[in-house]
Amino acid sequence: MNIRNLSIPLATALLAACVTSPTGRSQLMMVSDSQMSQMGLSAFNDMRKQGKFVDAPRERAYATCVSHALIAVLPPPWNAQQWEVQIIGDDTANAFALPGGRIGVNRGMFKLATDQDQLAVVLGHELSHVVSRHGAERVSDNMAAQAAVAAGSIYAGTRGSDTGNVAALLGVGAQVGILLPFSRTQESEADTLGQRYMAQAGFDPRAAVTLWDKMGAQGGSKPPAFLSTHPSSGNRAQALDRQAQQLLPVYQQARASGHAPNCRL
């Protein structure tokens, strides 16, 4: 990070705000978990007020079953949060998880992720964005780009008239009409952690390759929303396959020790 042209107070703040992600990567973090939770809850409540959630008890129960199995193996404090799952009346294949314990799944995702293992790929990936604090990292980067000195002042400003941009920073851009994808580095990190969590929860990690192949096959001129908002490198499927083979013993041990989810739509 080049801080030579920044003010001394901001440079000091940036240096003090460096943390490490779950995979050991250095991150800039200028907002707290409690601030991110408030942002996530605000974005989710805005969607509720806009009528984006639909009454779909079967789909919601199914997605909640998969989510809870994954949440149980997350590190603290995320495994202790009360998570709410809602179904969005959108036929595109997409999903998201937000700080504050909120998950949204588009109805169209169930047409693409056709069993619990494939749905666990998607939800494990999205939960990994939260655990890795990718939303907070993007908010912090945005603050640094605006030469913010205090996190509180910018945080207060983002809760005003620019709620769409805040939601996009948190990872729900496709739902608010603003596409702001996570970086390739963040996507790769979420792939790695998400596949690990699903194996620990008793979901077959090989489903990640199956689902990714299905998304790629549906690409063409109009790829699935989950694919279009999650940029990939050419070797993403190969990386998922390699990790799946490494995680098979973890998956088998999880099943043997009682982590055997049986979620059905």
Side-chain angles (χ1 to χ4, degrees), residues 69 73-74 195-203 250-251 254-255 259:
V73 302
L74 297 181
Q195 210 173 9
R196 184 187 306 167
Y197 293 145
M198 65 180 294
Q200 292 172 345
F203 296 107
V250 176
Y251 160 64
R255 302 284 294 187
H259 291 282

Side-chain angles (χ1 to χ4, degrees), residues 76-218:
W78 297 278
N79 61 351
Q81 280 186 331
Q82 294 296 316
W83 288 79
E84 178 185 347
V85 180
Q86 290 289 348
I87 306 302
I88 299 162
D90 190 319
D91 289 333
T92 59
N94 211 354
F96 62 83
L98 295 175
R102 298 295 183 265
I103 295 171
V105 183
N106 283 12
R107 259 187 162 157
M109 181 55 76
F110 301 109
K111 298 176 183 178
L112 186 68
T114 52
D115 60 37
Q116 66 170 6
D117 296 315
Q118 292 175 31
L119 185 58
V121 175
V122 176
L123 296 180
H125 180 100
E126 295 303 319
L127 286 166
S128 294
H129 280 308
V130 177
V131 173
S132 300
R133 295 181 169 93
H134 289 160
E137 186 177 12
R138 293 205 295 181
V139 170
S140 299
D141 289 342
N142 188 52
M143 290 164 63
Q146 297 180 47
V149 176
S153 62
I154 295 299
Y155 169 65
T158 60
R159 298 190 69 197
S161 61
D162 204 14
T163 56
N165 282 317
V166 174
L169 286 169
L170 294 176
V172 292
Q175 303 300 337
V176 296
I178 303 172
L179 294 182
L180 188 59
F182 286 110
S183 72
R184 291 180 184 271
T185 298
Q186 291 169 332
E187 286 302 326
S188 186
E189 195 163 52
D191 278 348
T192 298
L193 289 174
Q195 210 173 9
R196 184 187 306 167
Y197 293 145
M198 65 180 294
Q200 292 172 345
F203 296 107
D204 191 340
R206 292 170 293 189
V209 182
T210 301
L211 184 68
W212 189 251
D213 286 343
K214 288 169 68 174
M215 285 192 283
Q218 292 191 13

